[in-house]
Amino acid sequence: EVSEMSERSKQNVAHGLAWSYYVGYLKIVLPRLQKSMEEFSRANPNVLSCRETWKLHILVPLGCDVCDDLEKADSNIQYLTDLTETTLTRAGTKNRVYKHSLYAIRGGDNKLWHCAVEYATPLQSLYAMSQDECAAFSREDRLEQAKIFYRTLEEILKCSKECAGTYRLIAYEESGEAEPHFLSREILWHLQQQHCEEYTVQEENTPHTPPTTLDSAELSLQISSSDLPQPLRSDGF
């Protein structure tokens, strides 16, 4: 009876998506990421010069606006190449391929920063649910669930020994104004912060967090203090 009530109210959407994303993808690929980065760096020593950025940068737009082509989302983001593929047999699929793409991010001074970056794909499911009337999933529901997804994923990864030091979550709220380089600016801030962390011994002043970048403390203030997701409305609004 409790299970049926939970299913009808869609209380576990974000929690389920976060756990599925971790168990079915991140837990598989992240422990292998460092080796791929090292292989690429040996062949291209001047590209990935800052080891602190040898991570998978996971974009978490809270509006769930996921663009399939990062180059189209922001012209300051250019595809460079793919890292070495990981091939595994999973769930009956022979030789399933997992891979990450490296991008060059151009800053305001035309300096290029390089990193592996991709969206958290489960956010596409949240967006699709908000567009499907059968899901009875409003825009407000989608935002609430996106925040819960981020917090849940953050907690899961913090407890994962296999994934320690291999990822960077970049949660942000999209700007209401048309900013052609909004996304590259968000990624650049995180890359620059990591660069400072690597050489922070003599540094006392660190960059200020841009207003669009959110951390878990801020998200905690914006959603229920309970760790459990709230029931979703089905009134169609």
Side-chain angles (χ1 to χ4, degrees):
E1 206 175 300
V2 172
S3 178
E4 289 180 0
M5 290 175 62
S6 178
E7 184 177 351
R8 284 196 300 270
S9 63
K10 305 179 183 66
Q11 288 183 329
N12 296 321
V13 172
H15 281 73
L17 286 175
W19 273 104
S20 178
Y21 184 48
Y22 168 70
V23 175
Y25 179 63
L26 295 181
K27 192 175 181 180
I28 298 170
V29 301
L30 288 182
R32 297 171 170 82
L33 183 64
Q34 290 290 321
K35 182 179 178 181
S36 296
M37 288 286 194
E38 288 174 2
E39 291 176 356
F40 180 85
S41 183
R42 283 197 296 268
N44 305 271
N46 296 323
V47 177
L48 296 175
S49 57
C50 178
R51 293 185 67 93
E52 197 62 34
T53 62
W54 291 15
K55 302 172 183 176
L56 181 61
H57 296 76
I58 304 171
L59 302 176
V60 187
L62 298 180
C64 300
D65 186 12
V66 174
C67 183
D68 290 326
D69 192 335
L70 284 170
E71 292 178 300
K72 291 182 179 179
D74 191 323
S75 60
N76 277 349
I77 304 175
Q78 295 296 318
Y79 168 78
L80 184 63
T81 188
D82 290 330
L83 293 174
T84 304
E85 298 177 350
T86 295
T87 304
L88 299 171
T89 296
R90 297 265 305 169
T93 300
K94 293 287 188 179
N95 302 320
R96 178 170 289 181
V97 175
Y98 300 87
K99 67 178 182 179
H100 307 291
S101 296
L102 280 180
Y103 287 88
I105 317 296
R106 186 178 299 278
D109 55 359
N110 283 325
K111 178 181 177 180
L112 292 178
W113 297 71
H114 301 90
C115 68
V117 58
E118 60 189 51
Y119 284 100
T121 52
L123 295 179
Q124 289 181 310
S125 297
L126 287 178
Y127 186 85
M129 288 180 68
S130 69
Q131 302 299 305
D132 193 324
E133 60 181 16
C134 294
F137 206 77
S138 70
R139 180 180 298 180
E140 291 77 13
D141 295 331
R142 184 180 72 200
L143 178 60
E144 183 81 2
Q145 291 296 298
K147 292 175 181 177
I148 295 171
F149 170 83
Y150 170 77
R151 288 182 58 197
T152 305
L153 182 61
E154 182 182 46
E155 290 303 314
I156 293 171
L157 288 170
K158 280 182 179 179
C159 296
S160 174
K161 294 180 180 179
E162 302 97 323
C163 299
T166 62
Y167 67 92
R168 180 91 172 191
L169 296 180
I170 303 178
Y172 60 90
E173 291 187 279
E174 297 89 334
S175 172
E177 301 178 359
E179 297 184 38
H181 303 305
F182 171 83
L183 186 57
S184 60
R185 178 169 59 83
E186 292 295 321
I187 299 172
L188 276 172
W189 183 85
H190 282 269
L191 292 175
Q192 290 164 355
Q193 186 185 51
Q194 291 171 90
H195 190 272
C196 290
E197 289 169 358
E198 186 173 37
Y199 303 101
T200 192
V201 179
Q202 300 177 0
E203 300 260 350
E204 292 184 2
N205 298 320
T206 57
H208 294 290
T209 303
T212 51
T213 301
L214 304 175
D215 58 26
S216 57
E218 291 175 308
L219 289 177
S220 298
L221 296 176
Q222 297 180 50
I223 66 177
S224 170
S225 58
S226 170
D227 286 335
L228 294 175
Q230 301 300 303
L232 303 180
R233 300 181 329 204
S234 57
D235 54 11
F237 293 95

